[in-house]
Amino acid sequence: MAEKKVVIVGGGVAGAILAKNIQNQANVTLIDPKEYFEIPWASLRGLVEPSFAERIVINHREYFKKGDLVVSSAANITETEVFTADGQQIAYDYLVIATGHAESIPKTRTERLDQYKGENAKIKSASSILIVGGGPTGVELAAEIAVDFPEKKVTIVHKGTRLLEYIGQKASSKTLKWLTSKKVDVKLEQSVDVRSSSEENTTYETSNGETVEADAHFLCIGKPLGSAWLRETLLKDDLDADGRIKVDENLRVKGRSNIFAIGDITDLQEIKQGVYASGHAQLVAKNLKLLIEGGGKAPKLGTYKAQPPISIVSLGRKNAVAQFPFITVLGRLPGMIKSGDLFVGKTRKDLGLEPYDKKS
């Protein structure tokens, strides 16, 4: 009997782990606009320590050795095929959409590592740095710089009423206090137009009329969902108002038997983070194996329950703030869980790789 064709669109956390886990059970095609997988929650450490980036930017072919890799973007889908931006038509029996968030980053690993080196040089040469956005990315970047380069003046400008609005007030307050202790200046309920400065003029003006001196700036604001391409496809009615794909308890697109969605693109009511995307991938790998072995029918597919609001935000190399269901903690204990290696060794092992890249 011919191998079933599984097409995975998106090579982020969810798509990569699924491709790794299902490649020996089907004829798998992974479609991704870049040649590599990147561990997203560890990228900010790569900005202050470029050698760290060597471990987090991983060519797809290092872990996905058996199937077909198509380096392009998906442009359209039918009931049986995926059409790519470079003109390919790829047939599927099962389709998994894992396009997460849209981001403009280089196509090759070498170019991406060069980008990390360039950003690191920007940090090193600056005496003052502006970070726009006080979500987890902005907070973690500010903490990384404050710990590794304590002599630099770091300012966060955030339009919200508190930092880390996606988790509870206690975590926000503890984080603000920690950042302030590291001499990070946090300006809340303000915005800033980064285009207002130039190479000659490094003064930025906030919406409140305050000025911020900064030799360099980093935009750490939310990225758009990677679902815009679906709006003209057969799944256009399967998106919610925010552009997320509506899924059932098996992580299938609601009402469809052979199309799944995993990762940040789903409408699951849970914090969007890598550990949960990995869980989606592992469940769908199991369900695909059941469907393939059962000839399209499975007695009982695995189900997924949205996870409670647990989050750990790294604060430099030794500290973190952690929100658990009944307690919020800041300090070395949550830092021991995440901040040292940022789960990079574990993620590499999950992909069948050495925890440490021997080439780096």
Side-chain angles (χ1 to χ4, degrees), residues 64 71 117 153 171 262 279 297-298 342 350:
F64 179 57
V71 182
K117 290 171 189 168
K153 173 64 178 170
I262 55 178
K297 296 176 182 177
L342 300 170
D350 288 347

Side-chain angles (χ1 to χ4, degrees), residues 241-300:
D242 296 321
R244 299 188 189 279
I245 301 174
K246 292 178 268 189
V247 293
D248 65 17
E249 62 181 1
N250 309 125
L251 298 184
R252 287 192 278 203
V253 177
K254 282 188 175 173
R256 299 189 179 271
S257 61
N258 68 332
I259 303 179
F260 294 79
I262 55 178
D264 289 359
I265 199 82
T266 65
D267 71 335
L268 291 164
Q269 296 302 301
E270 64 185 6
I271 294 173
K272 303 300 180 183
Q273 51 188 12
V275 64
Y276 297 155
S278 175
H280 300 175
Q282 288 162 9
L283 179 81
V284 169
K286 173 186 168 185
N287 284 343
L288 285 170
K289 289 172 188 176
L290 287 170
L291 287 165
I292 290 166
E293 289 164 5
K297 296 176 182 177
K300 187 163 178 60

Side-chain angles (χ1 to χ4, degrees), residues 125-136:
S125 65
S127 60
S128 51
I129 295 165
L130 167 65
I131 294 171
V132 182

